[in-house]
Structures are given as structure tokens and as C-alpha cells.
Amino acid sequence: MIIQKSTNPRISNFDPNNFSFGNVFIDHMIICEYENGKWGEVQLVPYGPIGFTPAMMGVNYGQACFEGMKAYKDKDGQVFLFRPEKNFERINKSAKRLAIPEISEEIFLEGLKALVDIDRDWIPYGEGTSLYLRPLLFATEEALKARISEKYMFAIVATPAKSYYTAPVSVKISDHYSRAASGGVGAAKAAGNYAASFYPTQLAIEEGYDQIIWTDDCSHEYFEESGTMNVFVRINDTIYTPSTSDKILDGVTRDSFIKLAEKRGINLVIGDVKVSDVIEAQKNGTLKEVWGVGTAVVTSIFEALGYQGERLELPKLSDEESFAVQLKNDLVNIQTNQAEDPFGWRVLVEENVYSI
Ligand SMILES: *Cc1c(COP(=O)(O)O)cnc(C)c1O
């Protein structure tokens, strides 16, 4: 690894009690370049702009994908990643679908650990806080040819994240727009999937909702995801979540919720979640909870569903009654080293492994 330390660190200006998520970047970043058919050496360098021209293929043809993950600090100042091997596998799955050359485990994990280690002081400590890490892969060749790029960059940037308390949201069940299509790129964390979701989401916001529940592109009869999160529905005491497919992103949080629900002995069904069944359950009072899960906020609880012009309210459960809250707490306690880790999910980031 090539290490070039910042000569102008900004950490002393960083106030962990007063910052805006996503706008403040830690002092360093990881970059690694691909050319002549191979990935070069991983570089840890000061965070900052890198030069490209508008003819860069990544911005013209959208050959770009990313990951989202977090590092957590415990009360003793130890730092942990959460299931990073899942993100490593997934970035390569996304890369493959977008014809981007895969990266090695060494580039991904060593880059991640070195970055988190050198900038560990940027990780806030306190309930719900973390360091949000964004690994990304994009085409960098300067050429206006609609074909697979011959040059790429892998990078990791990071931004401190605050307490993830979020107020309950209302979501519109989509009956027109789709996030993903059969045979498409829905299962890849492709940058373009986000671009395609912004306009329908903006329309839902204009209608008074916060987010969209995406349904299948063919019939709009089945739940797929909610915004950029996987979705869970609870009817009576059974929870349901759609199975992963080429249209559904295989979320690490979703997988963790499934394992934690099984551990608690909660009845769980992985399979088709029919819009009409959810609406009927809301009408007959058996629909207890609907929530989204993802790394950024862990859990987003829904207070209402919008369906064909009607706003359907969901019950307000106490924390003790809510499976969503119980499972979220189980997960966060493991992530932040406040509970045993029976699944071996935490990965300690060792200190000063890289002579810096
Ligand atoms: C990233 C993402 C998720 C959540 O995945 P996690 O690994 O749990 O963060 C769900 N859906 C979509 C579309 C995503 O991009």
C-alpha cells in the first residue's frame, strides 16, 4: 500500500456534536486504478478532488456502482466494521453485472481497514453514531465509445454519521413507476438505480409521502423494496419479507434482521408479499407494522401507506410491542459491541497496522 499522509488535517475543526451528515469528509481516502488489464497498488491519500474530463466514460454511460457500510466505536475506543465481507462480495457482484473488473479482497478490505485506522479519531462515539464508508467503482477511460471501459478507479471515501433517530414516515405504494425490471440491474448497487428513483420519489413527496414502496414492474401486485431499503411487513405476529432476486438488492441489514428474528423465535416468511394481502390486513386490523431496513438508518418505521389515492394509517406500537424496534436494538447492540456477537459479525480494526 502506498501511504501519503495529509499535511493539512482538518480533524481539529471537526465538532462531533455539530456536523451535517454527508458533507464532511475525513482527512484521507483510498484510491486504486485499473489499467492495462490489471488493478494497481492501493493508495491511501489525502481526501480531495481528482481530475477527469467530461469525456470520462463513467459519467457518460453510467458504468458505476458503490457500497454503503459503517465503522462503529465502542466505549473503550475500539473500532469495528460490520460484516465487511458481505459488502466485498456485493461490490463484485455489482461490478460483474456492470462489466467492471472485480477487485481483490485485499484491495477492498485492506484499503478499508487502513483508512478507518488512520482516521479513527473522526469516528464519533455515542448512541447511533458511526463513520459511514462509501466504497465505489467507476469507469475512468476518456473516450466517447459506447462500450466497456478499459480504465477504472476504486475509491473509498467516508463521512461521520450522526444518531439515526428518524421520525416515522409515510410511504406510497407504487402503481406506476418501477425501480427494477426482470433481467435488469436491480440487484446491483448501480449508481443509475438511484438516478432512476429520484423523479418518482419527488412525485410521491409532492403527494405528501416521504418515500415509495416499489412494486414489481410487471403487475405492481408485489412488494419489492422501500426507497433504498429492503422491506418487512408484520401481520399478526408473523413477519414477511420478499425473497431476493435480480430485482431486489440483497441487503446486509435485511439478512441480519432475518437471522436475529430467527434467533428470537419470531415467525418469519421469506417470499411473495402481495400488495392486496397487506391492504386487506390493514383494513381488518391485523397489519401491525411495516418498516424498511438498510445500513444508513438501520430501520425506518412507517406510519402510513398510500395506495391508489387512499392514505391507510398503521398502528402506533410501543417499543416493547414493536418487532422492528426489538430487532433494530439487537442489531445495533452487536454492531457497537454492547452485546455478544453469536454470529461473528464484528470485525475489529487493529490500531497502527500500517506504518504511517
Ligand atoms: C443499499 C441498499 C439496500 C440496503 O442494503 P444494506 O446492505 O442493508 O445497507 C437496500 N436496497 C437498495 C436498493 C440499496 O441500494
Side-chain angles (χ1 to χ4, degrees), residues 193-250:
N193 287 344
Y194 282 67
S197 74
F198 292 157
Y199 176 67
T201 304
Q202 180 192 330
L203 293 181
I205 290 170
E206 282 165 13
E207 278 182 62
Y209 297 99
D210 300 287
Q211 212 23 287
I212 289 183
I213 289 190
W214 301 104
T215 50
D216 66 285
D217 61 302
C218 188
S219 66
H220 298 289
E221 282 177 17
Y222 297 93
F223 275 32
E224 288 192 338
E225 297 202 52
S226 147
T228 58
M229 301 201 227
N230 294 112
V231 67
F232 283 83
V233 171
R234 171 179 170 195
I235 298 175
N236 288 317
D237 283 343
T238 300
I239 61 178
Y240 299 82
T241 192
S243 13
T244 52
S245 69
D246 63 354
K247 297 192 290 176
I248 295 180
L249 204 288
D250 187 358

Side-chain angles (χ1 to χ4, degrees), residues 90 179 189 194 225 228-230 249 251-253 293-295:
R90 193 169 67 191
R179 193 192 78 88
K189 235 173 154 66
Y194 282 67
E225 297 202 52
T228 58
M229 301 201 227
N230 294 112
L249 204 288
V252 179
T253 319
V293 301
T295 296

